[in-house]
Amino acid sequence: MCGAANVRSDTPWCASRVRAITPPEIVAVPADREQLAAILKLATAEKFTVTPVGGGTKRNCGGIARRVDLAVSTERMQRVIDYPASDLTITVEAGITIRALRETLAQHGQMLPLDVTCLNDATLGGTLAANLSGPQRLGYGGWRDVVIGIQFVTADGRLAKGGGRVVKNVAGYDLPKLLIGSFGTLGIITEVSLKVFPIPPATGTFVFGFSSIAAATEVTHAILNSPFFPQSLELLDAAAGALAGVTGTCTSPYIVFVSVAGPQVVVDRASNDLPKLLRGNGCLFSQAITDGSQDRLWNSLSDMTSAYLRAQPAGVAIKASLPLLQLTAFIGEAKQLAEDAQLSTASGAHAGTGIVYQYLWPEGADRGPEGGDRAIEKLPRVAEQIVSLAERLGGRATVEWFPLAYDGKLNPWGKLGDDFPLMQRIKSALDPHGTLNPSRFYGGI
Amino acid sequence: MHRDLAAIVGARAVLSQPDDLLLYEFDGSVDRAMPNAVALPATADEVVGLVRWARQNGVVIVPRGAGTGLSGGAVAVHGGLMMGFARMKKIVAIDLGNQRAVVQPGVVNLELTVAVASAGYYYAPDPSSQKACTLGGNVSENAGGPHTLAYGVTTNHVLGLEVVLPDGELVHLGGAVWDTPGYDLTGLFVGSEGTLGIVTEITVKLTRTSEAVKTLLAIYDRVDDGAETVAEITSRAITPSALEMMDQITLQAVEDATNAGYPRDAACVLLIELEGLQEAVESQAAQVQEVCERHGARSVRIAASEAERQKLWAGRKNAFGALGRKAPSFYVQDGVIPRTKIPETMRFIQQVSERYGLAIANVFHAGDGNLHPNILFDSRDAEQRRKVVEAGAEILRFCVSLGGSITGEHGVGMEKNELMPFLFTDVDLAVMGQIKSVFNPDGRLNPGKVFPTTKGCGEIRIPPQHPF
Ligand SMILES: Cc1cc2nc3c(=O)[nH]c(=O)nc-3n(C[C@H](O)[C@H](O)[C@H](O)COP(=O)(O)OP(=O)(O)OC[C@H]3O[C@@H](n4cnc5c(N)ncnc54)[C@H](O)[C@@H]3O)c2cc1C
């Protein structure tokens, strides 16, 4: 179907990329969506289970599949299909890496403002199937706001699409919305059309340090209610700052990072006016960065989750989404829950959108062979408590990243909503045999 | 029927006399059909009651907001029960600290903005019909508006929905926060044109008003020059919050109706708005002015006062109404093209106008390539009715040939459902049909909409006579 050379038997490759108790031994590498469709037709006929693989960076992300028979890699599907730069749109194949996509756009002074973790290896398809976003979501929105069309192959091998290549379009159901964040359970994304954005002429980054979470959130709210519309507004505790490697910039217990972009006059005014918002707010530290070192700083902030997972392979990352006014309570109480159980924790919040990454990992005595068992006992319990905390505060949360070791010991999904049965019905309508990524998704879908 | 319905919503909230139903026979499009009854529920519970009753009795349901839709979405093409939301128009909660509001579906778009304006907030999607259309209708059509160029359309501002499914089940999609776990059913639901469920409550995001706003009016003697300006503003990455075009027929109609201060003799104008920090607005205004002048603008005027600005916008937002004076009827198209293709598309529309002998007035969201050619005609003339539909389809076919779409914001409804195969393959439509079956398995909710009903690809339906 895709040529013998493009079907490999490669157990280690599969085991290091596919999140399954029994990973596949075989990986197929189709050259295009027609080949991919033929593979899925065969899989349906033979009742194989299939997992799509992009950069293989999400092996610790999402639910865990039981048994997967075949991996399908999108590594040969990296073409730029259509890039009418002056229309500010691009259409590319889903296997392109986020880095390559950024480089293509940068040649035209444009950008995709979705900063994602694992930038180097992550593919577009995988990242949007996982619905990962980062700091600039505040200024530009998430995948649901920039994707204008998606082509995909259905579980039974049909070529389908939704949306198109223009920035405004309401013809037919918005299938792209359904596929974003669907974790490869409804179809395999093969081609994506996106809105892209001009790189702003000037950008300024402002770093403020505080002694308490309350003082920090008071300032983030003041910034959100100021005339500035920041691109990004991040709030890290010192532990998260250390994970991201940004404590060289500021060592305060809570650090706020703001970026403001536009014509130079806007950055100048922010340099002048933003520090004024801090008055009387217990600010320990204030710095403006307007040179090239900003990029490095924001890359570190965007990549915080993968840096954390490398440093703490036994740790979990909870993604909580909260009403803005509940950030203080959530960050404070989550820290308390972790400390009570003698676990280490760190909070990295996108303070303008209410999305918080709460990291939780075993420390000192709970590491190593014996301590590991203890951690396996208590860490899931605390993670679930933090998820419930988010729900109690009017938000939602899941344990987005956790190692295979917690399989069966952790409910990563929180309380299922009353829309869950509808989701199950959508899954069975589009993938009646459970071919794609079984039990990898919300509630075990 | 009347008695059953009255038992659920009260006798005063049911209409079934032919005279009363006349008002519910059409929306803003050219289609019309009579429902058997109209019920106006006051609560989600009453909606559930009506839906259960309809299910037991095998009656089709057509939800209806203000009936300003432009694709026949709220027209009861198969009769049945029409459900109106005039009694569900409460703003349930405003939560400025969290930048959210919760509303019932019958709340009129502009009322939400008015309710939060004094606090420095607004609801960003602003269809030109915003004084009349409802948020429930906006959600169902995924409505846009002049300022959605910068701020996004309805779907970018809706976080959560309470909906009643055709089997009477009430469920909550999304929530009060972004990224609720699971599939993005809110995103799927917005723009589904009342075919997946009935919206009974909506949670939206509120946006802070900008510090400064500047409105420019660029006046041209040639449509080409205005169109080229749009292409260059986009490609130079200047980002206005609104970028609208009106051509001469529209300008004259608008001036006859509202005296907004537009030139009657121009070939076209661009209405350009810039928002943001004072400094950013100043610097962008200078750039825009330069681009307009370089492309041959006869003059570029900056609204000197808020009153002048409001007058220009009132003229623009009432343009459709004003066109009513130019001909007994008009048929508005909603095609989308890549923004840099506006010049050639405007020339094509001009050719179509000449070939069919029908005047076409253009008033549209140029910044995102969303055209609104209004084909003027006399609906009493059968020959003109036929020609209008053909001319419209020809324009949409051209949009699709440039990589565009048949509808940018008005929806497919019962007006363009037969044109869906221009854009989508049988498989695409089958997948959408599978989704529809999950929610609306027997098709009793808003039947005859969105999906093609005929086998022949792209077959065109001639709308019935419609007295304007
Ligand atoms: C002068 C004029 C200017 C316009 N300008 C714009 C514009 O700039 N941008 C734009 O996008 N549109 C515009 N429109 C079109 C129209 O106003 C929008 O589509 C609007 O969203 C329709 O809202 P409505 O309340 O009138 O809905 P209706 O026309 O009553 O219904 C529209 C659809 O929504 C469904 N529906 C209504 N309420 C519910 C509910 N509670 N649950 C489920 N389904 C429901 C109906 O079944 C129907 O399919 C304009 C129309 C006019 C007449």
Side-chain angles (χ1 to χ4, degrees):
Chain A
M1 250 165 249
C2 40
N6 294 306
V7 180
R8 307 194 293 261
S9 171
D10 193 341
T11 312
W13 189 96
C14 290
S16 66
R17 287 170 177 78
V18 177
R19 186 164 169 80
I21 299 301
T22 312
E25 291 166 7
I26 299 172
V27 53
V29 193
D32 53 34
R33 65 189 208 128
E34 282 75 17
Q35 289 187 359
L36 175 58
I39 293 168
L40 286 175
K41 281 209 172 85
L42 178 73
T44 302
E46 302 287 326
K47 304 216 172 347
F48 289 169
T49 51
V50 177
T51 200
V53 177
T57 58
K58 307 293 180 308
R59 201 178 91 91
N60 276 337
C61 185
I64 299 169
R66 299 297 95 192
R67 181 200 163 82
V68 173
D69 301 313
L70 177 68
V72 178
S73 167
T74 55
E75 68 198 50
R76 284 207 290 158
M77 299 171 63
Q78 305 208 15
R79 278 160 292 224
V80 174
I81 304 292
D82 184 21
Y83 180 19
S86 38
D87 277 314
L88 300 174
T89 61
I90 191 168
T91 298
V92 292
E93 286 186 317
I96 193 169
T97 62
I98 299 283
R99 173 171 294 277
L101 178 55
R102 282 192 174 182
E103 282 162 4
T104 303
L105 296 170
Q107 287 165 13
H108 291 266
Q110 296 179 348
M111 63 172 189
L112 175 71
L114 274 124
D115 3 56
V116 300
T117 202
C118 322
L119 176 74
N120 288 335
D121 301 316
T123 62
L124 176 62
T127 308
L128 70 85
N131 193 23
L132 298 180
S133 58
Q136 291 187 91
R137 175 148 183 192
L138 177 60
Y140 297 92
W143 290 110
R144 73 193 302 287
D145 304 298
V146 303
V147 171
I148 53 179
I150 284 187
Q151 295 200 348
F152 58 103
V153 182
T154 62
D156 57 359
R158 291 172 297 159
L159 303 177
K161 69 170 176 300
R165 292 187 186 179
V166 280
V167 297
K168 207 167 164 198
N169 188 0
V170 297
Y173 293 155
D174 197 340
L175 298 183
K177 295 279 187 302
L178 198 56
L179 284 148
I180 292 168
S182 69
F183 242 97
T185 56
L186 297 180
I188 299 184
I189 300 168
T190 54
E191 201 176 291
V192 184
S193 299
L194 298 156
K195 284 189 204 177
V196 297
F197 297 81
I199 294 173
T203 305
T205 297
F206 305 89
V207 188
F208 306 121
F210 302 89
S211 58
S212 74
I213 176 69
T217 49
E218 202 171 309
V219 166
T220 57
H221 291 303
I223 292 171
L224 287 173
N225 285 289
S226 75
F228 296 96
F229 287 87
Q231 317 297 109
S232 314
L233 179 60
E234 301 291 291
L235 194 177
L236 275 61
D237 62 12
L243 292 171
V246 296
T247 38
T249 309
C250 172
T251 53
S252 304
Y254 293 91
I255 321 167
V256 169
F257 298 88
V258 193
S259 81
V260 173
Q264 185 60 42
V265 281
V266 166
V267 176
D268 293 345
R269 180 157 155 214
S271 308
N272 222 2
D273 288 5
L274 275 183
K276 292 184 195 155
L277 295 172
L278 302 172
R279 251 186 230 129
N281 276 315
C283 177
L284 306 174
F285 176 90
S286 167
Q287 188 191 350
I289 309 175
T290 47
D291 63 14
S293 68
Q294 295 177 80
D295 287 352
R296 228 177 24 248
L297 179 63
W298 286 105
N299 279 339
S300 305
L301 289 169
S302 304
D303 206 34
M304 180 161 46
T305 296
S306 71
Y308 159 68
L309 294 167
R310 278 194 304 274
Q312 300 295 345
V316 305
I318 297 156
K319 176 183 180 181
S321 187
L322 291 149
L324 296 176
L325 295 180
Q326 302 290 10
L327 288 180
T328 323
F330 178 80
I331 293 173
E333 291 180 40
K335 190 170 159 68
Q336 195 59 53
L337 286 169
E339 280 173 1
D340 290 349
Q342 279 135 31
L343 291 168
S344 294
T345 196
S347 299
H350 305 306
T353 52
I355 295 171
V356 185
Y357 275 87
Q358 188 72 34
Y359 306 114
L360 188 67
W361 68 97
E363 68 182 14
D366 288 337
R367 305 175 68 153
E370 279 155 51
D373 290 343
R374 237 181 354 261
I376 287 182
E377 286 315 307
K378 71 182 176 188
L379 196 140
R381 181 172 44 84
V382 179
E384 288 172 17
Q385 285 168 350
I386 293 175
V387 169
S388 309
L389 168 68
E391 291 165 353
R392 191 151 43 75
L393 295 172
R396 298 289 292 275
T398 61
V399 186
E400 191 177 64
W401 303 76
F402 60 97
L404 283 173
Y406 294 119
D407 180 47
K409 303 212 158 46
L410 173 69
N411 167 21
W413 309 118
K415 192 168 166 291
L416 300 182
D418 64 6
D419 55 352
F420 182 65
L422 270 176
M423 296 181 190
Q424 288 177 304
R425 275 147 63 190
I426 288 176
K427 168 71 175 176
S428 15
L430 291 189
D431 183 12
H433 306 292
T435 304
L436 291 174
N437 263 350
S439 62
R440 193 88 165 72
F441 192 59
Y442 180 53
I445 286 178
Chain B
M1 185 166 188
H2 189 101
R3 200 156 11 94
D4 286 358
L5 296 173
I8 301 168
V9 296
R12 288 176 48 208
V14 181
L15 309 172
S16 58
Q17 294 302 313
D19 279 0
D20 295 333
L21 295 178
L22 274 179
L23 259 180
Y24 295 88
E25 197 189 1
F26 47 84
D27 63 0
S29 73
V30 291
D31 290 297
R32 60 196 303 187
M34 196 78 104
N36 297 98
V38 175
L40 308 170
T43 63
D45 282 345
E46 290 186 4
V47 173
V48 169
L50 290 169
V51 169
R52 291 212 176 118
W53 173 86
R55 182 186 177 192
Q56 276 151 19
N57 294 279
V59 173
V60 308
I61 303 174
V62 182
R64 179 185 180 91
T68 66
L70 292 172
S71 54
V75 173
V77 56
H78 294 290
L81 171 64
M82 181 165 279
M83 204 183 287
F85 296 94
R87 293 170 72 219
M88 291 180 73
K89 50 180 185 189
K90 263 203 299 290
I91 297 179
V92 178
I94 291 174
D95 178 359
L96 293 175
N98 291 314
Q99 304 178 337
R100 303 286 185 260
V102 180
V103 298
Q104 291 187 325
V107 171
V108 167
N109 175 297
L110 187 61
E111 281 169 9
L112 179 56
T113 285
V114 168
V116 296
S118 64
Y121 280 85
Y122 69 115
Y123 174 66
D126 63 334
S128 304
S129 52
Q130 71 185 137
K131 281 185 184 156
C133 66
T134 66
L135 291 166
N138 292 172
V139 164
S140 301
E141 300 290 9
N142 191 11
H147 290 82
T148 52
L149 172 61
Y151 300 109
V153 294
T154 301
T155 193
N156 308 111
H157 300 268
V158 174
L159 288 114
L161 296 171
E162 178 188 87
V163 303
V164 176
L165 303 181
D167 63 0
E169 196 188 339
L170 182 132
V171 297
H172 299 84
L173 316 180
V177 295
W178 293 121
D179 287 8
T180 55
Y183 300 130
D184 182 3
L185 299 186
T186 312
L188 173 68
F189 210 92
V190 175
S192 62
E193 305 194 24
T195 63
L196 297 183
I198 297 164
V199 178
T200 53
E201 198 169 275
I202 309 162
T203 304
V204 299
K205 175 177 170 247
L206 299 172
T207 306
R208 215 160 30 68
T209 33
S210 297
E211 173 184 86
V213 54
K214 221 180 210 17
T215 307
L216 289 81
L217 181 69
I219 302 169
Y220 296 88
D221 291 326
R222 287 165 13 112
V223 174
D224 260 4
D225 293 341
E228 301 281 0
T229 304
V230 175
E232 182 164 346
I233 286 178
T234 307
S235 67
R236 289 222 346 215
I238 305 168
T239 45
S241 59
L243 174 48
E244 302 279 305
M245 182 184 271
M246 286 189 272
D247 69 3
Q248 186 169 41
I249 305 180
T250 313
L251 290 171
Q252 291 179 353
V254 165
E255 282 308 296
D256 288 348
T258 57
N259 248 315
Y262 288 108
R264 293 170 157 279
D265 61 339
C268 75
V269 301
L270 294 177
L271 185 61
I272 307 165
E273 193 147 281
L274 300 159
E275 282 180 54
L277 284 188
Q278 192 71 47
E279 291 84 348
V281 167
E282 302 283 342
S283 99
Q284 293 213 319
Q287 281 179 293
V288 167
Q289 182 149 8
E290 185 235 299
V291 174
C292 294
E293 279 162 4
R294 190 137 55 82
H295 285 283
R298 181 215 293 176
S299 81
V300 183
R301 216 170 88 198
I302 297 183
S305 65
E306 180 58 19
E308 187 181 348
R309 186 182 153 250
Q310 291 293 349
K311 255 173 84 177
L312 289 173
W313 275 113
R316 161 62 187 93
K317 292 204 170 179
N318 291 324
F320 284 138
L323 282 170
R325 300 168 164 235
K326 280 280 175 185
S329 310
F330 64 88
Y331 187 45
V332 53
Q333 296 291 316
D334 182 38
V336 191
I337 50 164
R339 302 168 260 205
T340 49
K341 302 274 167 59
I342 292 178
E344 60 202 273
T345 311
M346 293 302 283
R347 287 194 291 271
F348 181 80
I349 292 173
Q350 183 54 35
Q351 286 163 21
V352 169
S353 163
E354 284 160 16
R355 238 184 309 119
Y356 285 85
L358 294 167
I360 302 183
N362 290 285
V363 43
F364 63 101
H365 313 307
D368 38 29
N370 188 180
L371 308 170
H372 290 329
N374 294 271
I375 312 176
L376 308 186
F377 71 114
D378 182 346
S379 66
R380 289 160 301 194
D381 179 337
E383 173 65 7
Q384 282 202 19
R385 283 202 326 261
R386 190 188 55 75
K387 285 205 294 193
V388 150
V389 176
E390 272 174 24
E394 207 176 305
I395 292 170
L396 293 183
R397 224 187 276 267
F398 186 79
C399 293
V400 173
S401 76
L402 296 178
S405 172
I406 59 173
T407 174
E409 56 180 22
H410 295 166
V412 175
M414 59 181 287
E415 184 196 85
K416 292 181 284 283
N417 55 334
E418 309 301 350
L419 308 185
M420 286 286 272
F422 285 7
L423 278 181
F424 294 110
T425 65
D426 287 352
V427 173
D428 302 336
L429 292 169
V431 171
M432 292 180 198
Q434 287 177 294
I435 304 284
K436 179 177 170 183
S437 301
V438 167
F439 291 81
N440 185 11
D442 55 4
R444 252 184 330 95
L445 187 62
N446 215 1
K449 311 293 164 66
V450 183
F451 292 88
T453 55
T454 53
K455 270 270 163 254
C457 278
E459 185 178 307
I460 298 158
R461 202 176 33 79
I462 309 289
Q465 180 177 338
H466 182 39
F468 240 92

